[in-house]
Amino acid sequence: MIEQFFRPATLTQATELKQRFQENAVWFAGGSKLNAVPTKTDRTVAISLSLLPLKSIEWQDGILRIGAVVTLEALRESPLIPRALYDALGFVYSRHIRNQATIGGEIAACQREHALLPVLLVLDAQVQLASNDVIPLESYLAAPDDRLITHLILQDPFRRCATRTVRETADGWTVVTAAVALTGNNEQRIAVDGVGCGISRLQQIEAKNLSGEALEKAVSQAVKPKADLLGSEEYKRYITGILVSDLLTDCRQMGEE
């Protein structure tokens, strides 16, 4: 339970507070994850990011930079973002949650469902940390920790990209979310969530440059879902293969328009 609440005015102050309280402290942005199961925090010190200059969405030398404290709804309303990211933001069904949750919080929460992460992975997103280090989002997700994310960086946000989610109801648990993108050199990027151990890029399949039934089969064999109330293992394998193949077709059609 939060017992102390700090609202630093600078990044320096924020990082100094984290160094002071160490594992007892947690970063606090929108708070939608810290106050809800299953990501509810048991730490006692909250360091608010509300006063920090991390709320901008801007182009800098052809690169899209998004402050970590930008809410999902503000991001969705921005004319600067690509269509696929707009679609993915809509997977967070509740407008109330979108008005509260932040893009940095969505990345750092390590929650069960990752509605936004597949599309960010296929766009080769990077994260900038308070230390000014810039690392691939994929590297951060492989070893998430308490480092403060300050910006999300998209160096090629308007590459051909499509994403889709499959769920029983609009606000129900997700069966699978997938995203596919094609780089300027027609290299594939494929990411899926919900049918295996968390969010993952299917890099071995990307390298084969498959399509159609061959791609469906390869994806179905690559994912490792578990049967549950959302469907059998066979169903999840099948629907994931179909979904990825359809998204690749969507991406290729974008190049023909």
Side-chain angles (χ1 to χ4, degrees):
M1 182 177 68
I2 301 297
E3 298 175 356
Q4 297 184 73
F5 188 88
F6 294 90
R7 188 172 290 168
T10 67
L11 277 173
T12 299
Q13 292 175 354
T15 53
E16 287 176 350
L17 283 166
K18 190 69 172 77
Q19 291 171 2
R20 175 182 171 186
F21 291 103
Q22 298 289 324
E23 295 301 316
N24 291 323
V26 64
W27 304 113
F28 188 100
S32 62
K33 304 297 184 297
L34 298 183
N35 296 319
V37 176
T39 53
K40 186 174 183 178
T41 187
D42 58 359
R43 302 192 187 189
T44 58
V45 179
I47 304 173
S48 172
L49 308 178
S50 63
L51 298 183
L52 303 184
L54 304 177
K55 299 179 181 178
S56 62
I57 306 170
E58 57 188 354
W59 284 98
Q60 292 184 356
D61 300 322
I63 296 172
L64 183 59
R65 289 174 55 83
I66 303 168
V69 188
V70 173
T71 66
L72 304 187
E73 185 61 24
L75 186 58
R76 195 167 194 250
E77 292 175 353
S78 171
L80 300 179
I81 68 170
R83 178 70 199 194
L85 179 53
Y86 175 89
D87 291 341
L89 288 161
F91 299 159
V92 181
Y93 178 73
S94 169
R95 187 184 182 96
H96 171 75
I97 295 297
R98 295 201 304 267
N99 276 319
Q100 183 180 8
T102 63
I103 186 66
E106 287 294 304
I107 294 171
C110 298
Q111 56 192 14
R112 170 178 171 174
E113 292 190 3
H114 304 88
L116 304 181
L117 296 192
V119 72
L120 294 178
L121 285 176
V122 300
L123 290 174
D124 290 327
Q126 299 171 304
V127 292
Q128 183 173 340
L129 307 174
S131 62
N132 283 327
D133 292 332
V134 177
I135 63 174
L137 173 60
E138 190 171 7
S139 298
Y140 177 87
L141 295 176
D145 53 32
D146 278 350
R147 289 176 293 178
L148 175 60
I149 297 172
T150 62
H151 292 85
L152 175 71
I153 300 173
L154 300 177
Q155 300 209 28
D156 185 15
F158 289 102
R159 65 176 48 162
R160 287 172 287 167
C161 180
T163 186
R164 203 172 303 161
T165 188
V166 175
R167 54 180 62 164
E168 291 186 348
T169 62
D171 59 347
W173 288 112
T174 300
V175 178
V176 59
T177 300
V180 175
L182 293 173
T183 70
N185 297 324
N186 278 325
E187 296 176 346
Q188 294 181 5
R189 298 286 189 271
I190 303 171
V192 299
D193 178 58
V195 282
C197 299
I199 179 73
S200 60
R201 275 267 307 276
L202 304 183
Q203 296 186 14
Q204 292 183 340
I205 295 176
E206 294 172 355
K208 296 177 181 179
N209 199 32
L210 302 173
S211 62
E213 293 184 3
L215 178 60
E216 292 175 18
K217 182 177 179 180
V219 170
S220 295
Q221 294 175 343
V223 297
K224 296 176 171 52
K226 294 182 179 180
D228 54 26
L229 292 177
L230 299 175
S232 66
E233 177 182 334
E234 292 77 11
Y235 165 72
K236 292 182 179 181
R237 287 182 181 276
Y238 169 77
I239 201 66
T240 305
I242 293 291
L243 185 58
V244 169
S245 179
D246 286 350
L247 290 171
L248 176 60
T249 299
D250 291 345
C251 291
R252 288 178 169 171
Q253 290 177 344
M254 292 176 194
E256 299 171 357
E257 294 177 355

